[in-house]
């Protein structure tokens, strides 16, 4: 499964809940990058240059990381990817990774919310979390990149008939119920 949505739409929040409920490993490219930044690894030092400005980490770096992560034991039976793919080149890479192992995506969930709500949420998180990319200028840039590049990714999965849109506005538990129902429905249609 994939969970796609603009910054602040609740990808991480909902991915954690789906993971707990369905027993599938949740893999967030943003979380992996942040862990590497924290650990001051070579990958982290490279990624940080982009993340602090809200830019995408280059596809070559991100693709290699995802390819390696999906080959780890806990992802072999299935996975929920949060935050990847965000570019059409990443869609191609994921297609290649999965095709080589005769695997395929079941469901692509898109969480939707308007920009005003997203900015409000992320500015709220900035107060307690202190993520280095949660300031208004960078938040707006992240949103712009989503509209410019990641909406095309969503379009590709819609064309393939595996996209399910979920309204991300509302209480977290309400959104979780919507997400779980959408997954059930998508699986039943299989
Ligand atoms: P990433 O970490 O994925 O950040 P993001 O996409 O900007 O999204 P967020 O994690 O900020 O939001 P979210 O949708 O997970 O929402 P959350 O649940 O946290 O990526 C960070 C950076 O890494 C990128 O900018 C890029 O540099 C790099 N990167 C990552 N993937 C990459 C890729 N594939 N290619 C290239 N570069 C990549 O919720 C947000 C807030 O809202 C929280 O405070 C939460 O408590 C609150 N909230 C959640 N749900 C609700 C609700 N229903 N109502 C009210 N508040 C809510
Ligand atoms: Mg997240």
């Amino acid at each position: 499964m994939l969970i796609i949505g603009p910054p602040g739409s609740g990808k991480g929040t909902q991915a954690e809940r789906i993971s707990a409920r369905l027993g599938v490993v949740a893999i967030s490219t943003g979380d992996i990058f942040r862990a590497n930044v924290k650990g001051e690894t070579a990958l982290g030092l490279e990624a940080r240059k982009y993340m602090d400005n809200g830019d995408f980490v280059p596809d070559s770096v991100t693709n290699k990381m995802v390819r390696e992560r999906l080959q780890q034991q806990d992802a072999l039976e299935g996975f929920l990817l949060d935050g990847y793919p965000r570019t059409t080149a990443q869609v191609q890479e994921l297609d290649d990774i999965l095709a080589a192992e005769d695997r395929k995506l079941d469901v692509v969930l898109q969480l939707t919310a308007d920009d005003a709500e997203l900015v409000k949420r992320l500015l709220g998180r900035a107060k307690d979390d202190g993520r280095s990319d949660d300031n208004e200028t960078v938040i707006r840039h992240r949103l712009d990149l989503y509209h410019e590049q990641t909406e095309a990714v969503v379009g590709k999965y819609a064309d393939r008939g595996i996209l399910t849109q979920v309204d991300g506005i509302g209480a977290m538990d309400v959104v979780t119920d919507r997400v779980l129902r959408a997954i059930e429905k998508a699986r039943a249609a299989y």
Side-chain angles (χ1 to χ4, degrees), residues 8 10-13 29 34 55 57 83 86 90 125 131 142 170:
K11 299 184 294 296
T13 303
T29 44
R34 277 184 292 279
D55 287 321
V57 176
R86 307 189 183 217
Q90 292 180 8
R125 183 173 69 186
R131 241 174 77 166
R142 286 155 62 202

Side-chain angles (χ1 to χ4, degrees), residues 5-26:
S9 57
K11 299 184 294 296
T13 303
Q14 299 302 331
E16 211 172 280
R17 293 167 177 217
I18 299 166
S19 172
R21 184 68 83 89
L22 303 181
V24 61
V25 65

Side-chain angles (χ1 to χ4, degrees), residues 118-153:
L118 299 168
V119 172
K120 196 177 88 189
R121 285 184 190 176
L122 294 176
L123 288 176
R125 183 173 69 186
K127 291 194 192 100
D128 16 88
D129 222 42
R131 241 174 77 166
S132 61
D133 56 351
D134 282 344
N135 61 74
E136 184 148 5
T137 313
V138 173
I139 290 168
R140 294 211 179 269
H141 182 56
R142 286 155 62 202
L143 283 170
D144 287 345
L145 280 185
Y146 179 81
H147 295 306
E148 286 163 17
Q149 300 209 38
T150 310
E151 277 171 2
V153 168

Side-chain angles (χ1 to χ4, degrees), residues 27-40:
I27 299 172
S28 155
T29 44
D31 284 350
I32 300 176
F33 284 135
R34 277 184 292 279
N36 277 277
V37 168
K38 205 170 164 207
E40 297 180 350

Side-chain angles (χ1 to χ4, degrees), residues 25-188:
V25 65
I27 299 172
S28 155
T29 44
D31 284 350
I32 300 176
F33 284 135
R34 277 184 292 279
N36 277 277
V37 168
K38 205 170 164 207
E40 297 180 350
T41 67
L43 175 64
L45 294 174
E46 173 72 10
R48 179 167 204 156
K49 294 191 272 183
Y50 303 93
M51 296 173 79
D52 285 350
N53 298 322
D55 287 321
F56 290 162
V57 176
D59 285 337
S60 56
V61 176
T62 308
N63 286 340
K64 179 166 178 282
M65 180 181 87
V66 170
R67 185 177 277 276
E68 287 168 5
R69 182 63 188 88
L70 292 184
Q71 269 146 11
Q72 285 174 22
Q73 195 63 35
D74 62 348
L76 296 181
E77 295 288 308
F79 54 80
L80 168 58
L81 259 178
D82 156 3
Y84 182 97
R86 307 189 183 217
T87 65
T88 51
Q90 292 180 8
V91 172
Q92 183 61 54
E93 177 77 6
L94 183 59
D95 285 346
D96 291 348
I97 295 172
L98 296 179
E101 293 166 15
D102 213 14
R103 306 167 84 183
K104 65 178 179 49
L105 293 172
D106 292 326
V107 187
V108 176
L109 280 176
Q110 183 194 18
L111 276 180
T112 61
D114 57 88
D115 285 6
E117 167 74 13
L118 299 168
V119 172
K120 196 177 88 189
R121 285 184 190 176
L122 294 176
L123 288 176
R125 183 173 69 186
K127 291 194 192 100
D128 16 88
D129 222 42
R131 241 174 77 166
S132 61
D133 56 351
D134 282 344
N135 61 74
E136 184 148 5
T137 313
V138 173
I139 290 168
R140 294 211 179 269
H141 182 56
R142 286 155 62 202
L143 283 170
D144 287 345
L145 280 185
Y146 179 81
H147 295 306
E148 286 163 17
Q149 300 209 38
T150 310
E151 277 171 2
V153 168
V154 173
K156 278 191 176 285
Y157 292 119
D159 291 345
R160 294 181 191 182
I162 54 171
L163 183 77
T164 303
Q165 288 180 311
V166 175
D167 178 5
I169 305 269
M172 287 182 200
D173 289 348
V174 173
V175 177
T176 303
D177 283 343
R178 286 182 199 139
V179 164
L180 289 170
R181 263 189 281 124
I183 293 172
E184 246 169 61
K185 214 173 141 198
R187 281 177 149 185

